[in-house]
Amino acid sequence: VVDETVVLLRNAPVLNELNVVAEVGSGSAFELVERTGNGWYRVLFGGSEVFIEENEASVEWLSDATSESIDVFEFVDVPFGEIDVENSVPILRQNRSSDRSLIITTNFLNPDDERPYVDRDHRLFDFYMSAALQMEENQRYTIEIDSAREWDSDFAGLAESDSTGLLYVYFSGTAEVIENELYMIQSITGDEKYVPIKELFGNLQQLNPEKLIVLADFDFRIKNRDGAGSDSGIAGEVALQRAASELQRLVPNSAIIFSNRPGQESQLFAGGGSENKRHHIFTYYWAEALKNRNTTVNLLLNHLQSNVDYTSRRLHDAPQEIQAFGNLTISVQE
């Protein structure tokens, strides 16, 4: 029985984007053929044998005589552009050569634990920067935070603004809270390595924007002083406030919106049935807000606060509360 919101069925017990057979939702059930012994279940699907990762499903034993039906919630592949927020985007701002957009991510670090639909979230953000804010390809960037620190040169290669432009930034990936400070993980192999979020904010300051809007869609982990994991949200709340204060110190005309509180998850817009928007809830409603011409941060925030937590509780019975700091009057239109 599938436990995760969205799970990929594969034709071989390896992680490869080319061996995906289907996407299925939570509650889908399959007849178990065997445990492979290397972290996979071999199951029957549509008359064929396919594979599911053990950490995404659990085994329930049923009698041969049971009359209980077995359901499969299969998600049909939907090309980009067919989800409602992926088309018919209004133009909210004419092109300005000093504008920049930037995706900063660590989602590539661990293929074994990749968040579903992150690539589609990134594409959605880039699409809105292009279609709604009219930024050209040479104004839109993606930087992957890696242990080799190649991202340092990536930042250095960004074209500096002239203090008259808008900088729109989307962070995604795993963030660690250590000693009440926020870090992005650079490496998960061997000793984990971290980069302080303050350092990344310093790189954003170097781009010299007139105004800065930051979206932070993180999976948070929290560590105590001894390095052990913690579920305490207090340290996380302090870390968010400190990070936001540092951002405002560096770029006073800035705002940052976190997709969830530490201790909560950034949930997928997908349920146990057939409902699937193929994005994270936060990213979906951010796009919907812009599509509805919510051009100021406070209007954007109102839309997120009205919809994200409600949808997360409805689909996953879990809270997802937006946190925002900074100048909420910033407009992408002016």
Side-chain angles (χ1 to χ4, degrees):
V1 179
V2 170
D3 298 325
E4 300 296 323
T5 304
V6 177
V7 167
L8 301 179
L9 304 182
R10 301 177 185 272
N11 60 19
V14 292
L15 294 170
N16 187 311
E17 62 181 14
L18 301 178
N19 67 3
V20 175
V21 175
E23 289 182 354
V24 296
S26 175
S28 297
F30 306 90
E31 182 178 344
L32 176 65
V33 177
E34 68 167 345
R35 281 188 172 96
T36 65
N38 60 348
W40 295 84
Y41 294 122
R42 186 196 303 267
V43 301
L44 292 179
F45 172 65
S48 301
E49 293 186 356
V50 297
F51 297 86
I52 299 176
E53 289 186 83
E54 284 190 10
N55 60 6
E56 297 179 333
S58 55
V59 175
E60 293 184 11
W61 294 103
L62 303 177
S63 165
D64 285 345
T66 185
S67 60
E68 184 175 334
S69 62
I70 296 180
D71 297 317
V72 177
F73 304 108
E74 184 177 0
F75 299 128
V76 178
D77 186 32
V78 179
F80 189 90
E82 294 191 12
I83 301 296
D84 51 7
V85 294
E86 297 173 351
N87 55 61
S88 304
V89 177
I91 296 176
L92 304 178
R93 181 182 178 91
Q94 296 299 321
N95 176 266
R96 302 188 187 187
S97 60
S98 56
D99 288 351
R100 303 284 183 270
S101 73
L102 182 58
I103 297 171
I104 302 175
T105 182
T106 61
N107 279 293
F108 70 99
L109 285 177
N110 186 7
D112 293 351
D113 192 31
E114 186 176 354
R115 299 166 72 192
Y117 303 141
V118 166
D119 287 345
R120 196 167 183 130
D121 286 340
H122 290 176
R123 186 172 178 182
L124 186 70
F125 176 82
D126 189 65
F127 172 60
Y128 271 74
M129 296 299 101
S130 171
L133 304 187
Q134 295 287 289
M135 294 189 202
E136 301 291 344
E137 185 176 357
N138 63 358
Q139 296 174 268
R140 311 190 312 270
Y141 304 88
T142 297
I143 292 180
E144 295 180 341
I145 303 300
D146 60 7
S147 58
R149 291 194 69 99
E150 293 179 0
W151 50 271
D152 274 344
S153 58
D154 290 339
F155 271 111
L158 298 186
E160 182 178 319
S161 179
D162 60 2
S163 77
T164 65
L166 166 68
L167 176 59
Y168 217 127
V169 180
Y170 175 38
F171 283 94
S172 71
T174 302
E176 192 92 58
V177 176
I178 306 174
E179 299 290 325
N180 296 331
E181 298 291 344
L182 190 60
Y183 298 79
M184 288 192 80
I185 295 178
Q186 291 177 261
S187 172
I188 54 153
T189 57
D191 294 333
E192 292 185 340
K193 299 180 180 179
Y194 310 92
V195 55
I197 200 75
K198 292 180 179 180
E199 181 177 338
L200 297 175
F201 287 167
N203 284 312
L204 299 183
Q205 180 198 30
Q206 295 302 311
L207 296 178
N208 196 28
E210 176 190 14
K211 49 190 174 183
L212 168 62
I213 300 174
V214 176
L215 308 177
D217 189 14
F218 289 132
D219 279 339
F220 291 107
R221 300 192 308 190
I222 303 175
K223 285 188 177 180
N224 294 321
R225 291 179 181 275
D226 59 3
S230 170
D231 293 328
S232 171
I234 298 177
E237 296 287 349
V238 172
L240 298 196
Q241 293 172 9
R242 286 187 175 183
S245 296
E246 177 66 10
L247 181 65
Q248 280 225 286
R249 185 186 71 81
L250 294 170
V251 185
N253 194 21
S254 64
I256 184 168
I257 302 175
F258 292 95
S259 63
N260 51 284
R261 294 176 182 270
Q264 300 174 353
E265 293 185 28
S266 178
Q267 302 284 357
L268 290 177
F269 203 140
S274 59
E275 182 178 17
N276 189 352
K277 296 293 189 180
R278 309 186 83 81
H279 289 288
H280 282 79
I281 296 172
F282 173 73
T283 316
Y284 175 88
Y285 281 116
W286 166 81
E288 186 179 79
L290 292 185
K291 186 171 182 175
N292 292 343
R293 298 180 180 275
N294 292 303
T295 56
T296 62
V297 174
N298 51 12
L299 291 176
L300 169 64
L301 182 61
N302 288 342
H303 190 77
L304 291 170
Q305 290 176 330
S306 298
N307 291 283
V308 172
D309 186 56
Y310 168 79
T311 303
S312 179
R313 291 175 188 269
R314 177 175 65 83
L315 294 178
H316 306 288
D317 194 26
Q320 185 178 337
E321 298 163 301
I322 302 297
Q323 300 289 284
F325 306 89
N327 180 6
L328 305 184
T329 67
I330 293 174
S331 171
V332 298
Q333 203 163 28
E334 299 172 353

